[in-house]
């Protein structure tokens, strides 16, 4: 490992841990939500790329726990505990949850992005994890990268540029 660090990649319906000087990144956030969990005094962070709001939507007996807000956030909190981070110190930054396609139907099942954001917020609240910053909604895809040293979440939004939160 060099002093500038590497990029730890998080795939779709995936989760991972990064330690400074490494950064952690996920791409392809459309209706999905990227959730970064960290302790402001630690340089170890976790990221989960949530695709769906609830594991009850799983269609197989074995599920990918990172795919769903309920199981993914729970698993990330547990993984960070294993890394020595106390859950009551955790903070969150979230991005994504876009409504990528317009439907003529007003059925709730078509609101995947907003439902993902609502579910992520519900489960973060369950763990009493405050959301310090968010960039959610809209109808554009995002790529996010978190720096465990600066605690900044860099967001690249399609056709809208780059910003840090």
């Amino acid at each position: 490992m060099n002093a500038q660090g590497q990029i730890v990649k998080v795939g779709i319906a995936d989760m991972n841990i990064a330690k400074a000087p490494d950064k952690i990144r996920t791409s392809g956030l459309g209706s999905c939500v990227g959730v970064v969990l960290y302790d402001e005094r630690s340089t170890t962070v976790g990221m989960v790329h949530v695709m769906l709001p609830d594991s009850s939507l799983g269609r197989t007996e074995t599920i990918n726990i990172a795919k769903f807000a309920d199981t993914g956030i729970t698993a990330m909190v547990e993984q960070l505990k294993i890394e020595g981070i106390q859950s009551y110190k955790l903070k969150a930054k979230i991005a994504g949850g876009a409504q990528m396609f317009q439907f003529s139907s007003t059925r709730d099942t078509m609101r995947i992005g907003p439902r993902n954001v609502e579910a992520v917020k519900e489960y973060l609240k369950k763990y009493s994890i405050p959301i310090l910053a968010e960039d959610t909604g809209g109808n554009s895809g995002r790529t996010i990268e978190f720096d465990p040293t600066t605690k900044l979440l860099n967001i690249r939004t399609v056709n809208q540029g780059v910003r840090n939160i």
Side-chain angles (χ1 to χ4, degrees):
M1 180 168 47
N2 62 34
Q4 292 184 348
Q6 314 253 332
I7 301 293
V8 175
K9 294 182 180 175
V10 176
I12 296 172
D14 189 16
M15 56 188 244
N16 212 335
I17 299 276
K19 299 177 183 185
D22 295 348
K23 296 177 183 177
I24 191 163
R25 176 189 303 157
T26 192
S27 303
L29 289 172
S31 59
C32 301
V33 177
V35 181
V36 177
L37 298 179
Y38 63 99
D39 172 354
E40 292 178 308
R41 295 182 178 215
S42 172
T43 55
T44 299
V45 302
M47 180 184 286
V48 60
H49 185 128
V50 172
M51 279 184 70
L52 293 170
D54 192 283
S55 58
S56 66
L57 299 170
R59 295 180 180 177
T60 59
E61 286 188 28
T62 57
I63 63 165
N64 172 356
I65 57 172
K67 187 174 182 178
F68 305 97
D70 60 336
T71 53
I73 290 171
T74 299
M76 182 52 57
V77 168
E78 293 303 316
Q79 189 65 42
L80 288 168
K81 283 183 187 176
I82 291 169
E83 296 290 328
I85 297 175
Q86 297 162 316
S87 60
Y88 72 90
K89 292 182 176 179
L90 288 173
K91 312 287 187 219
K93 291 189 178 184
I94 65 173
Q99 183 66 39
M100 297 301 290
F101 306 101
Q102 298 301 320
F103 298 99
S104 57
S105 169
T106 57
R107 291 183 11 203
D108 195 49
T109 54
M110 298 301 179
R111 300 178 44 251
I112 296 173
R115 288 175 48 223
N116 282 339
V117 172
E118 292 163 10
V120 163
K121 287 181 176 180
E122 176 186 332
Y123 285 99
L124 290 174
K125 185 175 181 180
K126 177 181 172 188
Y127 285 101
S128 300
I129 299 172
I131 300 171
L132 298 189
E134 73 174 273
D135 181 39
T136 58
N139 54 17
S140 298
R142 296 170 173 92
T143 293
I144 61 172
E145 182 177 295
F146 189 80
D147 184 336
T149 303
T150 64
K151 313 296 189 242
L152 288 174
L153 183 64
N154 179 274
I155 303 166
R156 284 184 281 148
T157 306
V158 174
N159 298 326
Q160 295 179 24
V162 179
R163 67 185 217 144
N164 289 312
I165 61 172

